[in-house]
Short mmCIF file of all heavy atoms in Angstrom, two decimals:
data_model
loop_
_atom_site.label_atom_id
_atom_site.label_comp_id
_atom_site.label_asym_id
_atom_site.label_seq_id
_atom_site.Cartn_x
_atom_site.Cartn_y
_atom_site.Cartn_z
N GLY A 51 4.25 49.95 -29.55
CA GLY A 51 3.87 49.19 -30.73
C GLY A 51 2.52 48.53 -30.54
O GLY A 51 1.96 48.51 -29.44
N HIS A 52 1.97 48.01 -31.65
CA HIS A 52 0.68 47.33 -31.56
C HIS A 52 0.72 46.06 -32.41
O HIS A 52 1.65 45.85 -33.20
CB HIS A 52 -0.46 48.25 -32.00
CG HIS A 52 -0.56 48.37 -33.50
ND1 HIS A 52 0.26 49.21 -34.23
CD2 HIS A 52 -1.37 47.74 -34.40
CE1 HIS A 52 -0.05 49.10 -35.51
NE2 HIS A 52 -1.03 48.21 -35.65
N LEU A 53 -0.30 45.24 -32.26
CA LEU A 53 -0.34 43.98 -32.99
C LEU A 53 -1.78 43.52 -33.16
O LEU A 53 -2.59 43.60 -32.22
CB LEU A 53 0.46 42.91 -32.22
CG LEU A 53 0.54 41.50 -32.83
CD1 LEU A 53 1.93 40.92 -32.60
CD2 LEU A 53 -0.51 40.58 -32.21
N TRP A 54 -2.10 43.07 -34.36
CA TRP A 54 -3.39 42.44 -34.65
C TRP A 54 -3.19 40.93 -34.71
O TRP A 54 -2.19 40.45 -35.23
CB TRP A 54 -3.94 42.92 -36.00
CG TRP A 54 -4.56 44.28 -35.97
CD1 TRP A 54 -3.96 45.47 -36.26
CD2 TRP A 54 -5.92 44.59 -35.66
NE1 TRP A 54 -4.84 46.51 -36.14
CE2 TRP A 54 -6.08 45.98 -35.76
CE3 TRP A 54 -7.03 43.83 -35.29
CZ2 TRP A 54 -7.27 46.64 -35.52
CZ3 TRP A 54 -8.23 44.47 -35.05
CH2 TRP A 54 -8.35 45.86 -35.17
N ALA A 55 -4.16 40.18 -34.18
CA ALA A 55 -4.07 38.72 -34.20
C ALA A 55 -5.46 38.12 -34.35
O ALA A 55 -6.47 38.77 -34.02
CB ALA A 55 -3.42 38.20 -32.92
N VAL A 56 -5.50 36.91 -34.86
CA VAL A 56 -6.76 36.18 -34.96
C VAL A 56 -6.56 34.80 -34.36
O VAL A 56 -5.54 34.14 -34.60
CB VAL A 56 -7.25 36.08 -36.43
CG1 VAL A 56 -6.24 35.37 -37.31
CG2 VAL A 56 -8.61 35.40 -36.50
N HIS A 57 -7.51 34.38 -33.56
CA HIS A 57 -7.40 33.07 -32.92
C HIS A 57 -8.79 32.60 -32.49
O HIS A 57 -9.57 33.38 -31.94
CB HIS A 57 -6.49 33.13 -31.69
CG HIS A 57 -6.31 31.80 -31.01
ND1 HIS A 57 -5.53 30.79 -31.53
CD2 HIS A 57 -6.82 31.32 -29.85
CE1 HIS A 57 -5.56 29.75 -30.72
NE2 HIS A 57 -6.34 30.04 -29.69
N GLY A 58 -9.06 31.34 -32.74
CA GLY A 58 -10.33 30.77 -32.29
C GLY A 58 -11.54 31.48 -32.86
O GLY A 58 -12.58 31.56 -32.19
N GLY A 59 -11.42 32.00 -34.06
CA GLY A 59 -12.56 32.66 -34.69
C GLY A 59 -12.77 34.11 -34.28
O GLY A 59 -13.75 34.73 -34.67
N GLY A 60 -11.84 34.67 -33.50
CA GLY A 60 -11.97 36.06 -33.06
C GLY A 60 -10.75 36.88 -33.38
O GLY A 60 -9.65 36.35 -33.55
N PHE A 61 -10.94 38.21 -33.50
CA PHE A 61 -9.85 39.14 -33.76
C PHE A 61 -9.44 39.83 -32.47
O PHE A 61 -10.30 40.18 -31.64
CB PHE A 61 -10.26 40.18 -34.82
CG PHE A 61 -10.41 39.61 -36.19
CD1 PHE A 61 -11.64 39.10 -36.62
CD2 PHE A 61 -9.33 39.55 -37.07
CE1 PHE A 61 -11.79 38.56 -37.88
CE2 PHE A 61 -9.48 39.01 -38.33
CZ PHE A 61 -10.71 38.51 -38.74
N TYR A 62 -8.13 40.03 -32.32
CA TYR A 62 -7.59 40.66 -31.11
C TYR A 62 -6.68 41.82 -31.53
O TYR A 62 -5.95 41.72 -32.51
CB TYR A 62 -6.80 39.67 -30.28
CG TYR A 62 -7.63 38.53 -29.73
CD1 TYR A 62 -7.92 37.41 -30.53
CD2 TYR A 62 -8.13 38.56 -28.44
CE1 TYR A 62 -8.69 36.37 -30.03
CE2 TYR A 62 -8.90 37.52 -27.93
CZ TYR A 62 -9.17 36.42 -28.74
OH TYR A 62 -9.94 35.39 -28.26
N TYR A 63 -6.74 42.89 -30.73
CA TYR A 63 -5.87 44.04 -30.97
C TYR A 63 -5.15 44.34 -29.65
O TYR A 63 -5.77 44.52 -28.61
CB TYR A 63 -6.67 45.25 -31.41
CG TYR A 63 -5.83 46.49 -31.63
CD1 TYR A 63 -5.01 46.61 -32.74
CD2 TYR A 63 -5.86 47.54 -30.69
CE1 TYR A 63 -4.24 47.74 -32.93
CE2 TYR A 63 -5.08 48.67 -30.89
CZ TYR A 63 -4.27 48.77 -32.00
OH TYR A 63 -3.51 49.88 -32.20
N LEU A 64 -3.80 44.37 -29.73
CA LEU A 64 -3.01 44.59 -28.53
C LEU A 64 -2.07 45.78 -28.73
O LEU A 64 -1.56 46.00 -29.82
CB LEU A 64 -2.17 43.36 -28.19
CG LEU A 64 -2.92 42.05 -27.98
CD1 LEU A 64 -2.91 41.23 -29.27
CD2 LEU A 64 -2.30 41.24 -26.85
N GLU A 65 -1.88 46.53 -27.67
CA GLU A 65 -0.92 47.63 -27.66
C GLU A 65 0.03 47.47 -26.49
O GLU A 65 -0.36 47.02 -25.41
CB GLU A 65 -1.62 48.98 -27.53
CG GLU A 65 -2.37 49.42 -28.77
CD GLU A 65 -2.94 50.82 -28.62
OE1 GLU A 65 -3.27 51.20 -27.47
OE2 GLU A 65 -3.06 51.52 -29.63
N LYS A 66 1.31 47.84 -26.71
CA LYS A 66 2.27 47.84 -25.63
C LYS A 66 2.69 49.28 -25.35
O LYS A 66 3.01 50.04 -26.27
CB LYS A 66 3.52 47.01 -25.98
CG LYS A 66 4.54 47.02 -24.85
CD LYS A 66 5.85 46.36 -25.22
CE LYS A 66 6.82 46.52 -24.06
NZ LYS A 66 8.15 45.94 -24.35
N PHE A 67 2.69 49.65 -24.07
CA PHE A 67 3.11 50.98 -23.67
C PHE A 67 4.64 50.99 -23.50
O PHE A 67 5.24 49.97 -23.13
CB PHE A 67 2.45 51.38 -22.35
CG PHE A 67 0.97 51.61 -22.48
CD1 PHE A 67 0.08 50.56 -22.33
CD2 PHE A 67 0.48 52.88 -22.76
CE1 PHE A 67 -1.28 50.78 -22.46
CE2 PHE A 67 -0.88 53.09 -22.91
CZ PHE A 67 -1.77 52.04 -22.75
N LYS A 68 5.23 52.13 -23.76
CA LYS A 68 6.68 52.25 -23.60
C LYS A 68 7.08 52.05 -22.15
O LYS A 68 8.09 51.41 -21.87
CB LYS A 68 7.15 53.62 -24.09
CG LYS A 68 7.06 53.78 -25.60
CD LYS A 68 7.53 55.16 -26.03
CE LYS A 68 7.43 55.29 -27.56
NZ LYS A 68 7.82 56.65 -28.01
N VAL A 69 6.32 52.58 -21.23
CA VAL A 69 6.57 52.36 -19.80
C VAL A 69 5.30 51.91 -19.11
O VAL A 69 5.19 50.79 -18.64
CB VAL A 69 7.13 53.63 -19.12
CG1 VAL A 69 7.35 53.36 -17.63
CG2 VAL A 69 8.44 54.05 -19.77
N ALA A 70 4.28 52.78 -19.07
CA ALA A 70 3.02 52.46 -18.39
C ALA A 70 1.93 53.35 -18.96
O ALA A 70 2.20 54.42 -19.52
CB ALA A 70 3.16 52.67 -16.89
N PRO A 71 0.66 52.96 -18.82
CA PRO A 71 -0.44 53.80 -19.31
C PRO A 71 -0.61 55.03 -18.43
O PRO A 71 -0.12 55.08 -17.29
CB PRO A 71 -1.65 52.86 -19.20
CG PRO A 71 -1.30 51.91 -18.12
CD PRO A 71 0.17 51.69 -18.24
N ASP A 72 -1.29 56.02 -18.96
CA ASP A 72 -1.54 57.24 -18.19
C ASP A 72 -2.46 56.97 -17.00
O ASP A 72 -2.36 57.62 -15.97
CB ASP A 72 -2.17 58.32 -19.09
CG ASP A 72 -1.23 58.74 -20.21
OD1 ASP A 72 0.00 58.69 -19.98
OD2 ASP A 72 -1.72 59.07 -21.30
N LYS A 73 -3.35 55.99 -17.16
CA LYS A 73 -4.29 55.64 -16.09
C LYS A 73 -4.31 54.13 -15.93
O LYS A 73 -4.39 53.39 -16.91
CB LYS A 73 -5.69 56.16 -16.43
CG LYS A 73 -6.72 55.87 -15.35
CD LYS A 73 -8.09 56.40 -15.77
CE LYS A 73 -9.14 56.07 -14.70
NZ LYS A 73 -10.49 56.53 -15.10
N LEU A 74 -4.24 53.69 -14.68
CA LEU A 74 -4.22 52.26 -14.40
C LEU A 74 -5.62 51.66 -14.62
O LEU A 74 -6.61 52.20 -14.14
CB LEU A 74 -3.79 52.02 -12.95
CG LEU A 74 -3.34 50.61 -12.60
CD1 LEU A 74 -2.06 50.26 -13.34
CD2 LEU A 74 -3.12 50.51 -11.08
N PRO A 75 -5.73 50.55 -15.35
CA PRO A 75 -7.05 49.93 -15.56
C PRO A 75 -7.57 49.29 -14.27
O PRO A 75 -6.79 48.97 -13.35
CB PRO A 75 -6.77 48.87 -16.63
CG PRO A 75 -5.34 48.53 -16.44
CD PRO A 75 -4.66 49.79 -16.02
N GLU A 76 -8.89 49.08 -14.22
CA GLU A 76 -9.48 48.46 -13.03
C GLU A 76 -9.04 47.01 -12.88
O GLU A 76 -8.82 46.52 -11.78
CB GLU A 76 -11.01 48.52 -13.12
CG GLU A 76 -11.58 49.93 -13.00
CD GLU A 76 -13.09 49.93 -13.01
OE1 GLU A 76 -13.68 48.83 -12.91
OE2 GLU A 76 -13.69 51.01 -13.09
N THR A 77 -8.91 46.31 -13.99
CA THR A 77 -8.50 44.91 -13.95
C THR A 77 -7.17 44.73 -14.67
O THR A 77 -7.03 45.11 -15.83
CB THR A 77 -9.55 44.00 -14.62
OG1 THR A 77 -10.82 44.19 -13.98
CG2 THR A 77 -9.15 42.54 -14.52
N LEU A 78 -6.20 44.19 -13.94
CA LEU A 78 -4.87 43.97 -14.50
C LEU A 78 -4.48 42.51 -14.24
O LEU A 78 -4.46 42.07 -13.09
CB LEU A 78 -3.85 44.91 -13.85
CG LEU A 78 -2.44 44.94 -14.44
CD1 LEU A 78 -2.46 45.40 -15.88
CD2 LEU A 78 -1.53 45.83 -13.60
N HIS A 79 -4.20 41.77 -15.28
CA HIS A 79 -3.89 40.35 -15.15
C HIS A 79 -2.38 40.15 -14.96
O HIS A 79 -1.58 40.69 -15.71
CB HIS A 79 -4.37 39.58 -16.39
CG HIS A 79 -5.84 39.68 -16.61
ND1 HIS A 79 -6.75 38.95 -15.89
CD2 HIS A 79 -6.58 40.45 -17.46
CE1 HIS A 79 -7.98 39.23 -16.29
NE2 HIS A 79 -7.90 40.15 -17.25
#
Side-chain angles (χ1 to χ4, degrees):
H52 78 279
L53 180 142
W54 282 94
V56 59
H57 181 74
F61 290 89
Y62 296 83
Y63 178 74
L64 303 97
E65 288 185 330
K66 180 187 176 182
F67 291 88
K68 290 180 180 177
V69 179
D72 297 329
K73 182 181 178 182
L74 196 66
E76 292 184 10
T77 303
L78 187 61
H79 299 283

